Amino acid sequence: MTVLVSVWGAAPGVGKSTLCAGLSRSLAGAGLRVDHFREEEILSRPQFAAVAEEFGATGAVGLETLLAATARFVESVLARGDDVVVADALVPFVPTLLAMGHGEEAIDAFMADLADVLAPVRPVVVFLDGDAGAALSRAGEREGPEWLGWYVGKLAAYEVSPPVSDLASAVTYLRRERAVTLGAVRRHGWGPVVVERADELTPGEVLGAAGRGLEPWLA
C-alpha cells in the first residue's frame, strides 16, 4: 500500500524541505518508488490546477475544491504505482484552512472527509517541532533581510486568529497553528511522527529521527 508522508513543522525554517529531500533520496536508495511533492508544486501539479486557479482568482480555496484535487492526486499516485509520496506541506491543509478563517470544528469535519479521500493510501504526518521564533530567525537568515517582514505581512493579510501584526504575534499564531495541526492529525490516526527540538538538530539527525519514527508505517 502506498504511504503518503506529509512533512510539516512548527514554523518556516525548521527544516521540513531539507528533510523531504533527504527522505526522498534515502527511500529511493532503498529501492522504493518515491514521488517527492515539493511545496511549490501545488501551483503546477495538474491535479491541483483548480486549486491554483481558484486561489489566484479569489485568494481563497473552497473545501470541496481541496477535496476534489486531493482525490485526483490519489488516483494519479495509484496509477503510477508509487510506494511512497513524500509531500512538503501538503495534506492535511490545516494551516491553509486556519488562514482562510475556518474554526477548529470545521477543520475537524474537513479532516473526516479528507480521511475518506485518502483511504487508498496510508497518510502519516512527520512534524518537526521546535521553537517557532528560532526557526523564523533561521528562515530570515536564509531568505534575506526582507523576508521576515514579508512573512509577517502575509499572515496579517490573512486576518488569522490570534491576529498578527509583528514578529512576536506571528510566533504566538504559529503556536496555535501547531496545536491545531497536531490535534487534528492525532484524532484521525495519522501519527504524527514528531521530531522534538528539530531546530537544534543537524539535518542528518533530523533525517535519522524521522526515519526511525516512520519504520512502523513503511514496514
Side-chain angles (χ1 to χ4, degrees), residues 67 109-121 123 188 190:
L67 290 171
F110 172 83
M111 286 281 290
D113 293 336
L114 186 61
D116 290 338
V117 170
L118 294 175
V121 297
H188 290 274
W190 298 6

Side-chain angles (χ1 to χ4, degrees), residues 47-169:
Q47 300 84 13
F48 286 88
V51 171
E53 181 179 355
E54 194 169 313
F55 182 79
T58 68
V61 181
L63 302 186
E64 291 302 321
T65 303
L66 284 175
L67 290 171
T70 306
R72 289 190 293 269
F73 178 65
V74 169
E75 290 173 0
S76 72
V77 168
L78 297 177
R80 288 194 306 269
D82 296 323
D83 296 310
V84 184
V85 177
V86 178
D88 185 346
L90 188 62
V91 296
F93 304 115
V94 172
T96 298
L97 300 180
L98 286 171
M100 291 191 300
H102 293 285
E104 293 181 38
E105 289 187 10
I107 289 172
D108 207 56
F110 172 83
M111 286 281 290
D113 293 336
L114 186 61
D116 290 338
V117 170
L118 294 175
V121 297
R122 191 181 188 195
V124 56
V125 167
V126 174
F127 193 88
L128 303 187
D129 214 351
D131 181 84
L136 283 178
S137 295
R138 187 161 69 177
E141 292 172 0
R142 181 189 65 207
E143 301 295 337
E146 297 181 356
W147 182 88
L148 280 175
W150 168 83
Y151 181 73
V152 169
K154 182 180 79 165
L155 291 180
Y158 285 139
E159 299 182 357
V160 295
S161 178
V164 172
S165 59
D166 54 20
L167 184 57
S169 57

Side-chain angles (χ1 to χ4, degrees), residues 7-11 13-16 19 126-131 134-135 138 193-207 209-210:
V7 179
W8 288 89
V14 78
K16 61 182 177 58
L19 173 60
V126 174
F127 193 88
L128 303 187
D129 214 351
D131 181 84
R138 187 161 69 177
V193 174
V194 178
V195 179
E196 305 284 355
R197 303 192 316 278
D199 56 310
E200 302 174 14
L201 304 177
T202 67
E205 290 170 333
V206 171
L207 178 60

